[in-house]
């Protein structure tokens, strides 16, 4: 209902005229290079990203997906381009982005590990096909709910009803390919997950994706936007490269925030994890209906119901993780964001360490 029917005439119209006037039920998401809509293609539900032709490099990057087929990667079904616009038609499993799930729930350690293992599997496969994703972050991980897992190794011993799929290859490159996207990434805020070598426009490698995954793992644990106390992307980029600023550098972040009062974001005491946590990243709120008690109560009830339904997929079969296991998880993501790329864990090493934590956390 409300989905775009991607028959040949409609695709030709979209390629010529661009995105239609959207309705609330049509839009799946908006990015720096295009808008993603719900659609029907060959009698199946899909997602279609409509991109302006000026972003030709994005279409080229998305084409890397044509040669990738993996259970932890969103499948590309068709890519079309014309003089004005391009279309990227992808599978659309039922679920939500990892960003929204982190907004709503505090995930138990065992699920944070399972999610990370899925992303590691996707990256390992991409790297084996000489593709770097270069935009690993929670908004680019789709959690397909209601999907039975058929995990490999220790992850197969834990029952779950979801699978994670890496998506949005608009920043991807082939290994050894020149990448000139850093300036655009800085302007759009993705730099909060970017490795120092990417920020310096140095040669990129598999380690650049591992760095971004390490930042994402930190976010899964803390449920905060990386460097949430700072608004200025240029300041963050400079500090990451020159002074090894990382999301857990709390003392360093407080000093920077005090030196730049206009950059101070919400403090720990102000942060409401059950609200839209990353409201700064999504822009100002246009309407304020908080003075209407009936509206507020109804909205809170709907949010609570959605959160309760979502939580059913992330119940922990094991007791609450010990401080020792949480520390092991923290140590692991810190090993992913060291400055020297050659000193970071490989995807194989990371998989091994994650499975050790999983085995210990699932033990009775």
């Amino acid at each position: 209902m409300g989905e775009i029917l991607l028959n040949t005439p409609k695709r030709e119209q979209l390629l010529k005229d661009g995105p239609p006037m959207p309705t609330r039920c049509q839009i799946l998401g908006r990015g720096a290079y295009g808008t993603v809509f719900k659609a029907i293609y060959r009698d199946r539900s899909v997602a279609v990203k409509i991109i302006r032709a000026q972003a030709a490099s994005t279409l080229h990057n998305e084409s890397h997906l044509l040669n990738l087929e993996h259970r932890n990667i969103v499948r590309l079904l068709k890519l079309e381009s014309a003089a004005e616009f391009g279309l990227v038609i992808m599978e659309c499993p039922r679920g939500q982005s990892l960003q929204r799930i982190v907004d709503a729930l505090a995930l138990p350690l065992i699920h944070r590990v399972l999610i990370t293992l899925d992303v590691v599997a996707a990256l390992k496969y991409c790297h084996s096909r000489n593709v770097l994703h270069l935009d690993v972050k929670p908004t680019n991980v789709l959690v397909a709910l209601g999907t039975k897992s058929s995990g490999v190794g220790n992850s197969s011993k834990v029952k779950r009803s979801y699978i994670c799929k890496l998506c949005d290859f608009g920043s991807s490159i082939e290994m050894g390919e020149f990448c000139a996207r850093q300036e655009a990434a800085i302007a759009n805020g993705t730099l909060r997950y970017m490795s120092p070598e990417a920020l310096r426009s140095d040669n990129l490698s598999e380690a650049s994706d591992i760095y971004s995954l390490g930042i994402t793992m930190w976010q899964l644990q803390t449920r905060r936007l990386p460097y949430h106390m700072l608004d200025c992307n240029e300041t963050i980029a400079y500090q990451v490269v020159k002074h090894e600023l990382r999301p857990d550098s709390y003392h360093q972040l407080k000093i920077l925030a005090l030196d730049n009062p206009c950059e101070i974001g919400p403090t720990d005491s102000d942060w409401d994890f059950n609200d839209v946590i990353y409201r700064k990243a999504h822009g100002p709120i246009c309407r304020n209906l908080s003075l209407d008690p009936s509206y507020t109560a109804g909205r809170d009830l709907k949010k609570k119901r959605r959160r309760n339904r979502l939580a059913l997929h992330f119940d922990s079969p094991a007791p609450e993780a010990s401080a020792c296991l949480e520390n092991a998880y923290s140590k692991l993501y810190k090993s992913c964001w060291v400055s020297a790329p050659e000193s970071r864990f490989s995807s194989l090493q990371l998989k091994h360490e994650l499975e050790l934590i999983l085995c210990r956390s699932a033990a009775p």
Side-chain angles (χ1 to χ4, degrees), residues 38-80:
K38 291 181 182 179
I40 299 292
Y41 177 66
R42 293 183 177 176
D43 297 323
R44 64 183 291 184
S45 293
V46 298
V48 57
K49 182 188 290 187
I50 304 173
I51 303 173
R52 288 191 173 276
Q54 291 94 316
S57 62
T58 302
L59 279 170
H60 167 73
N61 297 342
E62 292 278 8
S63 70
H64 294 137
L65 257 177
L66 287 170
N67 300 318
L68 302 180
E69 190 170 341
H70 190 274
R71 65 190 294 270
N72 295 119
I73 297 175
V74 168
R75 188 180 171 199
L76 177 61
L77 303 175
K78 190 176 183 65
L79 190 149
E80 292 184 288

Side-chain angles (χ1 to χ4, degrees), residues 289-300:
L289 300 176
S290 59
L291 298 179
D292 183 347
S294 61
Y295 174 83
T296 303
R299 183 186 61 178
D300 290 345

Side-chain angles (χ1 to χ4, degrees), residues 10-20 33-35 37 48-56 59 79-88:
K10 185 62 177 179
R11 295 202 311 275
E12 290 176 351
Q13 180 187 349
L14 293 173
L15 287 167
K16 180 182 177 182
D17 301 330
Y33 305 107
T35 304
F37 293 86
V48 57
K49 182 188 290 187
I50 304 173
I51 303 173
R52 288 191 173 276
Q54 291 94 316
L59 279 170
L79 190 149
E80 292 184 288
S81 61
E84 296 297 327
F85 293 92
L87 302 180
V88 181

